[in-house]
Amino acid sequence: MAREAEPSRILIFGGTGYIGKHIARASVAFGHPTCIYARPAGPRTKPLNLDLRREFRSTGIRIIEGELDEHEKIVTALKQVDIVISALAYPQVPDQLKIIDAIVAAGNIKRFVPSDFGCEEDKITPLPPFEEFLEKKRKIRRATEAAGIPFTFVATNCLAAYFINVLLHPHSPHDEIVVYGDGEANAVLNYEEDVGKYTIKVANDPRACNRVVSYRPKPSIISQHQLISLWEEKTGRSFKRVYVPEEDLVKLSQTLPPPENIPVSILHSIFVKGDLMSYEIDDDDLEVSRMYPEMQLTTIDQLLNIFLTDPPEPARAAFG
Ligand code: NDP
């Protein structure tokens, strides 16, 4: 069989992470020979990470253990694959320059998806702490382009379970829900499993080569008020809405020490300013629900049903 007809081979950095595990699972589920490049497991590796490694091995995912500064090891790993996806944590975003160097040295990589997994960073200008965060990710985009590596940049918007935990706190008993700003701005919440699947699809899609892809399906667009009302319907409860005005978030972004000033700046951008919906997606832009209309995505309504029965654990992204 011609090489083109075979499924592409995928290497994932950060594959044991919060979003990386969904990408790794989707990759193997779609039939791609999949490997992850992970730090060597040791006494300080968290049990959850070890469980994932066991799960991955059982599903045929190969684990290459190594550090990010092991250039030769990374080059050797890259020579055995076609596509590289990085889902490294934010503090490791600058380390992706090492991956870029290795991709150039290997010379065979057909697509690189760097660790964006958030807003469309080339289209928004948030408060300074979030702006600095995005600037680090933009530098990786620019270095990828400058190196002439075929890329896909993904604007996945909010990871839905992550932000439902942040906004609704379904795990803890309470009568109040905090509303940032006036609660009317629309955000985009995409379920992590769907983000994993879409990411594997776009990484393999010739249409997405050297393009930005937005993940903005209509059913994922929701305001805080709509989300709270939907949760009230589901739980049969009524929550007191406690408002945090924009000025308070701006002040916190100026007074909290780094990196705590980053999450408040993110909340301001997404839920007060409505940055995720602040630009048009026109016919020439790539958007996942238009690219893959056949894919059944998990609606926010369905995700809240999951939260009722088997709530996804809260997570906190690393900011520093
Ligand atoms: P995680 O914090 O879960 O970490 C991902 C992986 O990075 C880890 O599993 C680990 O892999 C590797 N890693 C962590 N620390 C180090 C280190 N010191 N040296 C080398 N490797 C390390 O990442 P997330 O999934 O939270 O974040 C991935 C991306 O998603 C980021 O770009 C982040 O900004 C974004 N994000 C977006 C969200 C959204 O709602 N849009 C929410 C959360 C994150 P291993 O142990 O296998 O080596």
Side-chain angles (χ1 to χ4, degrees):
M1 192 186 285
R3 171 80 216 129
E4 283 70 30
E6 291 171 11
S8 57
R9 299 161 299 176
I10 299 183
L11 175 68
I12 301 164
F13 288 85
T16 61
Y18 180 74
I19 191 59
K21 62 180 175 291
H22 295 287
I23 300 168
R25 285 174 183 149
S27 177
V28 80
F30 284 145
H32 296 282
T34 303
C35 50
I36 66 162
Y37 188 92
R39 286 169 299 170
R44 285 197 299 184
T45 310
K46 293 194 178 122
L48 206 63
N49 189 311
L50 295 174
D51 288 349
L52 265 175
R53 289 174 197 232
R54 269 189 290 275
E55 174 202 313
F56 286 170
R57 287 197 178 97
S58 75
T59 58
I61 296 175
R62 193 175 147 224
I63 300 175
I64 301 169
E65 291 193 336
E67 303 288 346
L68 293 172
D69 51 14
E70 289 188 89
H71 178 77
E72 288 307 326
K73 192 182 268 187
I74 297 179
V75 172
T76 304
L78 293 175
K79 283 190 173 154
Q80 302 165 43
V81 300
D82 308 298
I83 290 175
V84 180
I85 299 173
S86 168
L88 285 171
Y90 166 68
Q92 279 68 52
V93 159
D95 286 329
Q96 293 176 113
L97 291 174
K98 296 169 189 162
I99 300 175
I100 291 172
D101 284 348
I103 291 174
V104 171
N108 60 298
I109 295 303
K110 299 195 183 85
R111 195 77 62 88
F112 175 47
V113 181
S115 188
D116 283 326
F117 301 105
C119 62
E120 177 29 28
E121 63 228 31
D122 285 329
K123 292 223 166 123
I124 69 165
T125 311
L127 293 173
F130 189 26
E131 176 64 14
E132 278 164 36
F133 171 105
L134 293 183
E135 190 53 24
K136 288 201 178 136
K137 293 191 172 188
R138 289 186 198 117
K139 280 203 172 109
I140 297 301
R141 285 189 174 190
R142 303 293 85 85
T144 304
E145 291 163 344
I149 298 167
F151 64 83
T152 298
F153 299 147
V154 293
T156 62
N157 295 311
C158 292
L159 301 180
Y162 183 98
F163 272 96
I164 286 174
N165 271 315
V166 168
L167 295 173
L168 302 179
H169 291 282
H171 279 267
S172 54
H174 58 283
D175 300 320
E176 296 180 348
I177 290 183
V178 170
V179 176
Y180 300 99
D182 65 10
E184 299 293 347
N186 273 330
V188 186
L189 271 59
N190 289 308
Y191 186 38
E192 283 77 346
E193 283 185 19
D194 296 335
V195 169
K197 290 177 195 163
Y198 279 134
T199 301
I200 295 301
K201 281 182 176 285
V202 299
N204 281 280
D205 194 326
R207 293 173 294 177
C209 189
N210 295 339
R211 298 288 304 272
V212 175
V213 182
S214 292
Y215 295 34
R216 198 197 271 178
K218 284 209 170 63
S220 300
I221 300 170
I222 195 162
S223 72
Q224 287 175 90
H225 279 314
Q226 289 166 336
L227 182 68
I228 296 167
S229 298
L230 202 51
W231 187 233
E232 287 178 330
E233 268 174 47
K234 300 262 170 216
T235 56
R237 299 182 57 193
S238 169
F239 296 97
K240 183 175 176 212
R241 300 178 193 205
V242 179
Y243 291 84
V244 176
E246 173 167 18
E247 312 81 79
D248 289 11
L249 286 172
V250 172
K251 186 97 191 148
L252 284 170
S253 80
Q254 294 162 346
T255 53
L256 283 173
E260 275 86 55
N261 54 1
I262 300 174
V264 290
S265 310
I266 293 177
L267 290 171
H268 177 265
S269 163
I270 297 173
F271 298 108
V272 179
K273 282 177 70 197
D275 274 343
L276 301 183
M277 294 296 294
S278 64
Y279 58 94
E280 294 295 318
I281 293 183
D282 64 32
D283 290 347
D284 296 333
D285 293 321
L286 295 180
E287 194 283 317
V288 286
S289 65
R290 290 201 311 230
M291 293 171 80
Y292 313 108
E294 74 290 353
M295 201 179 112
Q296 292 278 319
L297 66 93
T298 308
T299 62
I300 294 169
D301 190 89
Q302 289 165 334
L303 179 53
L304 290 182
N305 288 340
I306 297 173
F307 266 93
L308 278 180
T309 53
D310 186 15
E313 280 298 316
R316 185 176 154 88
F319 290 110

